[in-house]
Amino acid sequence: MTAPSTPSGTTGAPAPSGEASVSVVPGSGGAVVTTQVDIGEVEPAAVAAIQIGLGTAHAAVWAYGLISAWDGDDVDLIRQNRLANEQIRDSTTDLLSSVGAEPVATEVAYRVPVVVNDRVTALQVAVAIEKDATNAWRAVIGSTGNYQLRRFALTALSDAAVRLTGWRVLAGAAPTTVPFPGDEPS
């Protein structure tokens, strides 16, 4: 998947006060940050990395629509994973807004790594989008020393890694897991 890579509105402005809250949303694929986090100062490099994470969430939401058109066997899983990506997209948008950054907008369409014309290629796209998400969120962790932001990104990375493993199992891909999710070539 190719997501927007040019961040806009990067700033190191402090976030408004709020509470960190992580909750499990049934059927979403894991824990999702559901309220704004008081993350304090955010480095410009971290804001740029968060923008890329948001771009991958936008791309994933779009791609799950494409996947659903070709994979009628995994309807519930597709719905759950799309919901999880919508939730991280919304939480990330809120986080960026809270630090004074203009969140990147969704694109009209995204490039996928294969032509999707059956369930097998749809599964390949599902693997690719979740791999891109793990890579993006791992980069956020590495871009900051801010504990709250690292916690937010670790939750997003962990959830994407679980979804990625599920798609790899369905696709018959090997290995199904990797030692360090987010450290794979796209």
Side-chain angles (χ1 to χ4, degrees):
M1 297 292 305
T2 303
S5 60
T6 306
S8 62
T10 58
T11 181
S17 293
E19 295 182 13
S21 174
V22 177
S23 61
V24 175
V25 177
S28 70
V32 177
V33 177
T34 57
T35 62
Q36 288 194 350
V37 178
D38 181 7
I39 59 174
E41 292 287 326
V42 176
E43 305 92 333
V47 172
I50 298 165
Q51 294 280 18
I52 294 169
L54 176 57
T56 62
H58 284 313
V61 169
W62 178 88
Y64 277 115
L66 175 65
I67 293 164
S68 69
W70 292 98
D71 182 0
D73 294 344
D74 302 305
V75 175
D76 289 338
L77 182 60
I78 293 166
R79 181 186 53 76
Q80 290 169 1
N81 288 342
R82 181 180 174 137
L83 176 62
N85 278 283
E86 288 173 350
Q87 290 170 333
I88 194 64
R89 177 202 61 200
D90 295 347
S91 295
T92 304
T93 298
D94 291 345
L95 184 144
L96 284 164
S97 294
S98 77
V99 298
E102 179 69 30
V104 295
T106 189
E107 301 290 326
V108 174
Y110 293 87
R111 188 178 322 211
V112 293
V114 297
V115 174
V116 181
N117 54 16
D118 59 14
R119 181 174 184 261
V120 171
T121 53
L123 292 175
Q124 291 172 355
V125 170
V127 167
I129 63 175
E130 296 299 351
K131 187 187 306 183
D132 286 351
T134 63
N135 289 343
W137 291 110
R138 184 158 189 236
V140 172
I141 293 168
S143 72
T144 186
N146 181 306
Y147 170 79
Q148 291 293 351
L149 180 54
R150 289 174 69 108
R151 182 175 160 195
F152 178 94
L154 181 59
T155 299
L157 167 64
S158 299
D159 291 348
V162 169
R163 292 188 303 269
L164 174 57
T165 299
W167 286 119
R168 282 182 165 153
V169 168
L170 285 174
T176 55
T177 62
V178 294
F180 300 105
D183 192 27
E184 297 180 77
S186 291

